[in-house]
């Protein structure tokens, strides 16, 4: 178990990255913000968590950072960083009340912040932000200490096993905790996670939309992360392709995952909306396009989702010519590479044709 409270480390690191993107020293930043140096140092170290600030003060800090010239993509990650801090803090410190993983469906940005702290993997959204050379032992990532990482993953496994699956919050806690265990790549942890995921193969075998659809999707994607792509291919074939409710759920989930839904969702029921309301198709196309080259084990899910999105909204190819050209180039490279499934080849060929035909 962690030696002390861990509450604001990730958000503090993001704030430091924002400051360095201007660039400003801690002293200069304190002067610009009208606070003392100890306050800035406390924010960046996590000793004074940003999440503890009054809402108005936090809003003012964001606006001031933007006015000072901080990188917009970094400032935009503060919410996700505070979410990730809350998840880690609640897990390591065993806080009372509902666990954050049972309260809302987290997004890709939150997952990337968690991965940054758990594995050291730099979020793709920060890929263009140059690394600042730092003096002394300062870290290049908000990486948890090995003992804290081990404790965090151990608690996740306990929660995943103990979570009740008789209500939406218990189901949500189970699937999100189990998915996050796939970030632990130690040999024993991989074996435990694979066994736990394979124990849920019953949900993977169900066709079309079911109340367990989101759990099956998380199970399949987590297995893909661990190097087993077959369950994800089967999930696409059984639970998405050719089923209107499954296709809608997939698009709704992607839109939410990529940050395109205005309000956070407290459970998975929003995925059932067959009218595909509440999100912008252009935003989803942009997110899928920009993430396609990073897809690795998820390329088949990306390919099918792009095909379904352009089938539902064929006008998208004309809505943004630059984006359509970028996607066409990426699909052509995948088609030329030969490392995709036959389904993905057919669907990406259709996507490429639609893009070329309408632009």
């Amino acid at each position: 178990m962690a030696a002390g409270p861990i509450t604001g480390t990730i958000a503090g690191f993001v704030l430091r990255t924002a400051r360095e993107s201007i660039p400003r020293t801690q002293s200069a930043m304190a002067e610009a913000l009208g606070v003392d140096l100890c306050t800035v140092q406390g924010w960046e170290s996590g000793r004074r968590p940003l999440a503890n600030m009054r809402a108005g003060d936090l809003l003012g800090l964001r606006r001031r950072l933007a006015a000072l010239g901080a990188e917009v993509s970094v400032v935009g990650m503060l919410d996700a960083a505070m979410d990730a801090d809350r998840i880690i803090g609640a897990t390591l410190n065993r806080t009372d009340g509902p666990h954050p993983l049972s309260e809302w469906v987290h997004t890709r940005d939150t997952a990337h912040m968690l991965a940054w702290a758990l594995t050291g993997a730099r979020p793709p959204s920060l890929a263009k932000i140059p690394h600042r050379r730092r003096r002394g032992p300062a870290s290049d990532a908000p990486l948890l200490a090995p003992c804290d990482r081990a404790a965090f993953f151990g608690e996740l496994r306990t929660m995943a096993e103990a979570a009740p699956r008789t209500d939406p919050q218990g189901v949500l806690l189970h699937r999100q905790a189990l998915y996050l265990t796939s970030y632990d790549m130690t040999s024993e942890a991989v074996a435990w996670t694979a066994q736990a995921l394979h124990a849920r193969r019953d949900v993977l075998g169900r066709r079309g939309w079911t109340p367990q659809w989101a759990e099956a999707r998380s199970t399949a994607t987590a297995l893909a992360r661990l190097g087993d792509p077959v369950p994800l291919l089967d999930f696409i074939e059984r639970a998405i392709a050719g089923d209107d409710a499954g296709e809608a759920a997939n698009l709704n989930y992607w839109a939410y995952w990529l940050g395109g839904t205005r309000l956070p969702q407290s459970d998975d029921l929003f995925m059932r909306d067959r009218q595909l309301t509440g999100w912008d198709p252009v935003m989803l196309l942009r997110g899928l396009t920009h993430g396609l080259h990073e897809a690795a084990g998820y390329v088949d899910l990306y390919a099918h989702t792009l095909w379904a999105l352009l089938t539902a909204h064929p006008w998208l190819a004309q809505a943004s010519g630059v984006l359509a050209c970028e996607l066409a180039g990426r699909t052509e490279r995948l088609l030329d590479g030969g490392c995709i499934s036959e389904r993905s080849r057919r669907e990406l060929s259709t996507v490429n044709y639609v893009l070329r035909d309408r632009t």
Side-chain angles (χ1 to χ4, degrees):
M1 189 59 59
I6 294 178
T7 53
T9 305
I10 306 173
F13 197 94
V14 171
L15 178 63
R16 186 176 83 177
T17 305
R19 171 179 60 80
E20 292 174 342
S21 74
I22 298 176
R24 294 248 178 152
T25 64
Q26 286 184 330
S27 296
M29 178 61 74
E31 182 178 354
L33 296 176
V35 299
D36 57 52
L37 175 60
C38 289
T39 297
V40 173
Q41 291 173 334
W43 286 340
E44 293 189 2
S45 67
R47 293 192 306 271
R48 300 182 64 168
L50 293 179
N52 290 352
M53 294 177 68
R54 293 182 299 181
D57 292 339
L58 183 57
L59 178 62
L61 174 61
R62 284 195 180 99
R63 290 176 173 172
R64 189 63 183 143
L65 286 170
L68 290 170
E71 185 68 36
V72 174
S73 61
V74 181
V75 177
M77 297 302 290
L78 281 173
D79 279 348
M82 287 187 286
D83 278 345
D85 276 327
R86 187 176 172 216
I87 290 169
I88 291 176
T91 303
L92 289 177
N93 302 322
R94 293 185 179 177
T95 55
D96 294 331
H99 192 278
L101 290 176
S102 72
E103 291 184 308
W104 80 92
V105 183
H106 68 242
T107 65
R108 180 185 65 172
D109 286 344
T110 299
H112 283 170
M113 289 292 106
L114 287 166
W116 205 11
L118 296 170
T119 70
R122 191 172 176 83
S125 58
L126 303 183
K128 296 181 180 179
I129 309 300
H131 286 276
R132 298 287 177 183
R133 299 187 66 180
R134 301 185 176 95
R135 296 177 181 177
S139 174
D140 288 327
L143 193 63
L144 290 181
C147 60
D148 290 327
R149 290 202 301 274
F152 177 78
F153 284 124
E155 289 294 323
L156 278 183
R157 288 188 281 272
T158 298
M159 288 191 301
E161 290 176 334
R165 298 175 208 170
T166 55
D167 61 82
Q169 274 59 55
V171 169
L172 186 61
L173 174 60
H174 171 76
R175 80 165 180 83
Q176 295 197 134
L178 186 54
Y179 178 82
L180 288 175
T181 63
S182 68
Y183 284 101
D184 188 351
M185 300 306 291
T186 59
S187 57
E188 290 185 1
V190 168
W192 182 95
T193 303
Q195 182 178 3
L197 291 168
H198 281 294
R200 302 301 295 152
R201 276 192 173 275
D202 61 319
V203 301
L204 288 172
R206 301 178 187 184
R207 292 193 175 274
W209 166 265
T210 70
Q212 293 78 34
W213 188 93
E215 181 184 356
R217 185 185 188 278
S218 290
T219 299
T221 53
L223 285 168
R225 176 187 297 281
L226 296 178
D228 183 2
V230 175
L232 184 55
L233 288 168
D234 289 344
F235 177 75
I236 295 169
E237 188 71 35
R238 289 173 176 271
I240 302 180
D243 182 86
D244 289 345
E247 295 283 13
N250 185 51
L251 290 172
N252 289 329
Y253 197 175
W254 267 110
Y256 182 83
W257 178 251
L258 294 176
T261 304
R262 292 187 181 90
L263 297 175
Q265 298 295 321
S266 61
D267 55 44
D268 295 326
L269 298 181
F270 72 96
M271 301 176 201
R272 299 185 302 177
D273 176 19
R274 295 199 192 188
Q275 303 305 311
L276 306 180
T277 57
W279 49 269
D280 177 12
V282 176
M283 177 284 308
L284 180 52
L285 181 65
R286 182 179 299 110
L288 292 168
T289 299
H290 292 166
L292 184 58
H293 70 291
E294 304 157 359
Y298 310 115
V299 66
D300 297 292
L301 188 56
Y302 270 79
H304 182 78
T305 306
L306 283 164
W307 172 86
L309 180 62
L310 286 169
T311 298
H313 302 291
W315 52 267
L316 278 172
Q318 296 172 313
S320 176
V322 173
L323 184 60
C325 288
E326 182 180 352
L327 178 56
R330 294 188 179 191
T331 56
E332 285 179 358
R333 287 192 290 273
L334 280 172
L335 290 168
D336 291 342
C339 296
I340 55 177
S341 68
E342 188 56 38
R343 169 181 283 279
S344 293
R345 181 168 297 280
R346 292 195 307 269
E347 291 175 341
L348 287 179
S349 294
T350 300
V351 166
N352 196 262
Y353 174 79
V354 170
L355 293 171
R356 297 300 187 189
D357 183 56
R358 294 177 180 269
T359 55

